[in-house]
Amino acid sequence: MTPYENFTFFIYLLIPLVPAVLLGILGATGRVRAAWILLSTLGMLQYIARPLDVLYQIVGYLLFQWILVRLYLAYRSRENGKNQVGVFYLMIVLSILPLVGVKLNPSVIALGFWQTVIGFIGISYLTFRTVGIIIEIRDGLIKDIRFLDFISFVLFFPTLASGPIDRYRRFITDLYKPLTRQEYGDLAVHGLDYIFRGFLYKFIIAYLINKYWLDPLNHAFGFLPTFQYMYAYSFYLFFDFAGYSAFAIGVSYLLGIKTPENFDKPFISKNIKDFWNRWHISLSFWFRDYIYMRFVLDSAKKKRFRNRYTAPYVGYFLLFGIMGLWHGIDLRYILYGLYHAGLMISFDFLDRKNRTWKFWGKGPMWDLLAILVTLHFVMFGFLIFSGRLV
């Protein structure tokens, strides 16, 4: 069962949310709320992870990742284990191995009298969370992890399927943070606002776009239908995904967890860098912090490149190449990643040249033009992502 896809799911949501609201109103301690979040996560997992073999896969995956985390924590606690980079990379490879296997070969295997597809909904986002933990252990930011906290963080049911992607230390701080009635009340009001926004985005706007604009274009071909499809698909993708994210954030707030924002008016971005600070924020910031910045800083430290712009440009191809492959190994995803790497490099180059050539001015009209230009470059990227051109 995919979360937030139908109204039946919201009926089931009342089971964990009603007690959570009562605990918040009564001013329950952080430990009591944390215990309820754990129980709610385990309970909702049995509903989301259907059929039963999917639940077995998730449990097996969780135990595998937990063993990796504990082994690496034990290794890092040893004096000679603090500077061994090879073990760190080995742990990263092992952690992403299940995801790589699913992306490359979603096999079907026989289990008794039935068959199952290897892989389950949300495995990508679970992998981000566990890899983030391993990286922060390497950085010395995480010294120890309790198994129950690990479960609550990795399997946190409001964000299980498609994020937003949280960070372990921030999540645990919220998990045990004591909230007064007033503080919880403010959080709950914001949570309800997110949930109503989710209904507006996903079940009204996205539904209408898909039914009356996008779907008819699926059967029309040629330049003009494809041009219209670019707009329809882009707006549908935003409202559908932003609606899902609003639901996830709103439910998290009702549980007392301030899950990070995922969208911030991305279609008014003035350039492509601004867009990636507004679109799928938790994902883009995760890739930025854990891949791009580390590559650039390590390249500077080891003096890999003579030209100071080479490292960030190679970093963009690494960043967006991996992001494209994360979506899948189809050609459209690879092209989408390379396209955005090219956009980032092109913008950086033109932005630097503009300081001397002055071909782009400042002011409201220039800002409006920048928004329109950026919007169309972004939407063309979504057209590539949709597979319509490939």
Side-chain angles (χ1 to χ4, degrees), residues 266 269 271-279 340 374 378 382:
S269 304
N271 56 65
I272 195 63
K273 287 186 178 180
D274 187 26
F275 171 78
W276 281 109
N277 287 328
R278 295 170 176 271
W279 176 271
H340 272 280
T374 302
V378 165
F382 288 142

Side-chain angles (χ1 to χ4, degrees), residues 11 43 66 71 118 124 129 135 184-185 202 218 222 267 298 381:
I11 296 175
W66 171 248
L71 286 175
I118 298 300
S124 297
R129 292 168 192 147
I135 292 175
Y184 178 79
K202 187 173 180 64
N218 285 324
F267 290 152
D298 189 62

